[in-house]
Amino acid sequence: MSLGGGMRMARNIFGILLIAGLGACAQSSGLPQIALLGGGDQAKSEAAASTESIEMPGGGPPLPARNERLMKAAAGRSRSNEGETKQAGLSLPRLSDVKLFTPTAYAPDSVQWDQGPVQVYAQLAQQIRACWFTPGAPKLTNHGFYATVADGDAGEATIIIYQKDESGGRGVQAFRILISGSSSASTVKAENRRLESKLDQAFKTDISRWAKGGKDC
């Protein structure tokens, strides 16, 4: 045999051994067996099945068909978790459903006044007549008021709002204002006796505003 013929025979034998080795490796690793030298219809069909793809929305690159099952399973778990969260009451409330806390208005029982008790009494008596006992539209019906004033600028004064009795005279006390202090400053304390809470707060708000120089009702 010539040297050229021997080399060709060696190449053929090497090629056959290489093909056989590749086929054995593919079978042992579970990879699809693809025909290397034409033919191999079964290997071609398995390779096509393993590389089957699905189109992604929006024109994205296709994904292998086996990923479709994973995507469906993940979507199912997400819907299940969402349902469990809603059943557990963990969903956040809408902003429109949240009620904002509004504090109730509060009027102090005692205020400071930058005048002596006699001057404070004179101003309070004038404001009470104009605002609480307004002729024709009084805030208090069947009520009246009177005052007691001690001598001297540094004395004390008391204004009593009373409920009229059957004869129209002084009945039970409904509201009392105590004024005490020095010649230049006074403490004005309001005490509710029988007035409803809303009217009590309104009167104390008036006194607090007048102590700061306000004149309106």
Side-chain angles (χ1 to χ4, degrees), residues 139-205:
K139 292 183 179 180
L140 287 173
T141 57
N142 198 39
H143 284 71
F145 82 95
Y146 69 94
T148 59
V149 182
D151 296 334
D153 293 339
E156 294 183 352
T158 303
I159 298 177
I160 303 295
I161 307 293
Y162 63 87
Q163 185 176 2
K164 295 179 180 180
D165 58 20
E166 295 180 356
S167 63
R170 298 177 186 174
V172 296
Q173 294 185 10
F175 197 79
R176 183 169 67 172
I177 303 172
L178 304 175
I179 308 168
S180 61
S182 62
S183 59
S184 59
S186 299
T187 298
V188 179
K189 183 178 180 181
E191 297 178 351
N192 183 29
R193 297 299 179 88
R194 289 181 175 271
L195 298 181
E196 61 181 7
S197 176
K198 184 177 180 180
L199 196 57
D200 169 49
Q201 289 295 302
F203 281 5
K204 290 177 181 178
T205 299

Side-chain angles (χ1 to χ4, degrees), residues 3-153:
L3 180 60
M7 294 181 65
R8 285 194 297 272
M9 181 177 294
R11 285 197 298 269
N12 291 337
I13 294 173
F14 178 75
I16 293 172
L17 294 176
L18 179 61
I19 293 172
L22 290 176
C25 291
Q27 184 175 6
S28 62
S29 61
L31 297 174
Q33 299 181 19
I34 303 175
L36 300 178
L37 298 176
D41 294 337
Q42 181 178 359
K44 290 181 179 179
S45 61
E46 292 178 356
S50 66
T51 56
E52 181 182 356
S53 62
I54 56 173
E55 295 295 330
M56 291 294 291
L63 293 176
R66 63 177 179 274
N67 288 346
E68 181 180 7
R69 293 191 299 273
L70 297 177
M71 293 172 62
K72 289 182 179 179
R77 288 194 297 270
S78 177
R79 288 192 295 268
S80 176
N81 293 337
E82 181 180 357
E84 292 176 358
T85 301
K86 290 182 178 179
Q87 291 178 1
L90 298 179
S91 57
L92 295 176
R94 295 176 299 176
L95 183 60
S96 59
D97 295 336
V98 178
K99 304 299 183 182
L100 298 179
F101 173 73
T102 303
T104 304
Y106 170 77
D109 295 333
S110 179
V111 295
Q112 299 299 313
W113 208 302
D114 293 335
Q115 287 180 319
V118 175
Q119 289 80 11
V120 171
Y121 155 73
Q123 291 191 27
L124 274 177
Q126 182 179 0
Q127 292 295 130
I128 288 172
R129 288 193 185 94
C131 298
W132 299 358
F133 292 93
T134 306
K139 292 183 179 180
L140 287 173
T141 57
N142 198 39
H143 284 71
F145 82 95
Y146 69 94
T148 59
V149 182
D151 296 334
D153 293 339

